[in-house]
Amino acid sequence: MPLSHPIRFGANYVPSAGWFHSWLDLSPDAVRRDFEDLAGIGLDHVRVFPVWPWIQPNRGLIRRQGIDDLLAVIDVAAEFGLSVAVDLLQGHLSSFDFLPSWVLTWHGRSVFTDPEVRDGLAAYADRLARAVAERGNVFAVTLGNEVNNLYPANLTTPEASTRWAAELIDVVRAAAPHLLSLHSLYDATWYDPGHPFHPADNVDLGDLTTVHSWVFNGVSALDGPLGPATVTHADYLVELAAATALDPARPVWLQEVGAPGPDVPEADAPEFVRRMFDAVIANPALWGVTWWCSHDLDRALADFPDREYDLGLFTVDHRAKPAARELAAAVGEHRRTGGRPSARGRAALLCDVDLRTEPERRAEVAPGSAFHTEWVRLRQAGPLAIVTTGRATDAGHLSARGIDTVLTQA
């Protein structure tokens, strides 16, 4: 059945002063100023990223001050009516990997396969999940930010990747049973046929599915910053996830979406926001939209890819950018008009790739593939579901997703 709760709208929190290095000398007043920005444009939640090695610098040491700093940020969010999702394993942030020395240098241990590292991670996940669960405005714990970006530096296999995530999800659920427990992966899991993190993990593990939509993965090269493939990519990922899940009612959180340059020039960013938003908001599987990111990155900080500096809704001196104003307007209109779309009477495009059982065929649904091209073409006429061959004759599954008509590829 369609989701009943209102769609959530938020931002991934990138501190305006000092980027994530600000965790080293946290200023609650600086956080307060940042969260005032986000509440001021009508957002209801933030996703925050404590940095793993700064809290667990040794496998046997979890720093109390690091946990207290995380709780202080959560408490500041509560001052502005913002709920909080906490990512545990950072892990990977904006092209940098943050790993403790006890998995590096001569230790040389894979985060995903080494038993002692996994024991250390389990202790870390348990301790942080228990701590944040005491705060009433926390609603979710994600294992980490795009943990599959830690591969291939950390070797793994599909079986080990699944086991690693399943074990940690169990740890989080035991520590914080009333919170959502989630597994977060970037889109190689959907498009790269050899990637050792599989789509089934994303739709089976955790309490809902998360997807991250970045048009620099090749989509924008198909038809430019405002072309139909670019502005519907977020909706396409949500649909792939919904089609892959066994549960037709499993919600999908668009946990990251942004307007990266030069793929989306600054002048086109507001229009991109509007078109992307209008497309994905029509998807009945959508749980929420969380923009990457809250604030720009100070250009005094060195060695980032150029696109990382300007992804924020706000500048480092707290000026709302045109994309922020457009997002605020779209969110406000959605709330005023009564929100969630109907799932009834939709058409679906038949996909003969079952990503659950045939991950080696992922390239056949990647951007620019024949299937993706046909979906984009048909999507221009209105919302378009995806249904796999194995479920095309399941009347109950189709009905639960509001699908009346199944189309085949031209």
Side-chain angles (χ1 to χ4, degrees), residues 87-250:
D87 272 43
L88 297 180
L89 180 59
Q90 277 62 249
H92 177 82
L93 290 166
S94 300
S95 84
F96 288 95
D97 290 347
F98 290 84
L99 298 173
S101 57
W102 49 273
V103 304
L104 298 171
T105 60
W106 63 269
H107 297 276
R109 302 190 281 198
S110 170
V111 167
F112 303 114
T113 61
D114 185 272
E116 290 185 329
V117 175
R118 284 163 62 170
D119 287 347
L121 268 173
Y124 171 80
D126 176 78
R127 183 81 173 272
L128 260 68
R130 289 182 189 279
V132 303
E134 297 175 357
R135 295 304 199 259
N137 61 321
V138 174
F139 68 91
V141 173
T142 302
L143 296 186
N145 181 50
E146 298 185 345
V147 293
N148 52 334
N149 259 309
L150 298 177
Y151 169 85
N154 291 266
L155 295 179
T156 187
T157 65
E159 296 76 19
S161 301
T162 301
R163 187 165 58 250
W164 177 89
E167 288 174 357
L168 288 178
I169 286 287
D170 286 346
V171 169
V172 172
R173 281 181 170 155
H178 65 288
L179 302 181
L180 295 173
S181 301
L182 310 174
H183 185 27
S184 170
L185 303 167
Y186 83 99
D187 64 11
T189 197
W190 296 104
Y191 299 147
D192 181 349
H195 196 67
F197 290 77
H198 284 181
D201 291 352
N202 216 354
V203 300
D204 288 350
L205 300 176
D207 296 314
L208 53 77
T209 301
T210 67
V211 294
H212 294 185
S213 174
W214 288 105
V215 298
F216 53 67
N217 65 3
V219 175
S220 65
L222 298 175
D223 58 14
L226 300 176
T230 304
V231 298
T232 63
H233 182 251
D235 186 45
Y236 181 68
L237 266 179
V238 171
E239 266 307 317
L240 278 183
T244 305
L246 290 175
D247 178 2
R250 182 176 169 94

Side-chain angles (χ1 to χ4, degrees), residues 358-374:
E358 301 175 300
E360 71 279 2
R361 297 181 64 190
R362 282 176 276 189
E364 296 177 45
V365 301
S369 64
F371 177 79
H372 172 253
T373 300
E374 181 69 355

Side-chain angles (χ1 to χ4, degrees), residues 218-380:
V219 175
S220 65
L222 298 175
D223 58 14
L226 300 176
T230 304
V231 298
T232 63
H233 182 251
D235 186 45
Y236 181 68
L237 266 179
V238 171
E239 266 307 317
L240 278 183
T244 305
L246 290 175
D247 178 2
R250 182 176 169 94
V252 183
W253 179 5
L254 180 58
Q255 196 180 46
E256 288 185 20
V257 64
D263 302 77
V264 181
E266 185 176 4
D268 291 326
E271 186 66 18
F272 170 84
V273 170
R274 172 62 66 168
R275 294 190 192 183
M276 178 281 299
F277 188 95
D278 287 347
V280 78
I281 211 72
N283 197 310
L286 185 69
W287 181 91
V289 178
T290 309
W291 190 261
W292 188 282
C293 58
S294 65
H295 292 81
D296 282 348
L297 176 59
D298 190 337
R299 286 189 174 268
L301 294 173
D303 300 327
F304 289 84
D306 193 65
R307 64 164 54 97
E308 295 289 343
Y309 288 97
D310 300 309
L311 290 170
L313 293 168
F314 292 84
T315 64
V316 293
D317 56 355
H318 304 280
R319 289 182 291 109
K321 295 163 68 175
R325 294 192 289 271
E326 190 63 38
L327 182 63
V331 169
E333 289 171 19
H334 173 76
R335 288 173 175 156
R336 285 192 299 274
T337 56
R340 185 167 289 283
S342 171
R344 300 180 65 84
R346 293 194 302 158
L349 181 62
L350 181 65
C351 181
D352 71 355
V353 179
D354 186 344
L355 293 173
R356 296 187 61 82
T357 59
E358 301 175 300
E360 71 279 2
R361 297 181 64 190
R362 282 176 276 189
E364 296 177 45
V365 301
S369 64
F371 177 79
H372 172 253
T373 300
E374 181 69 355
W375 184 89
V376 170
R377 184 184 73 83
L378 295 172
R379 177 65 180 81
Q380 293 178 70

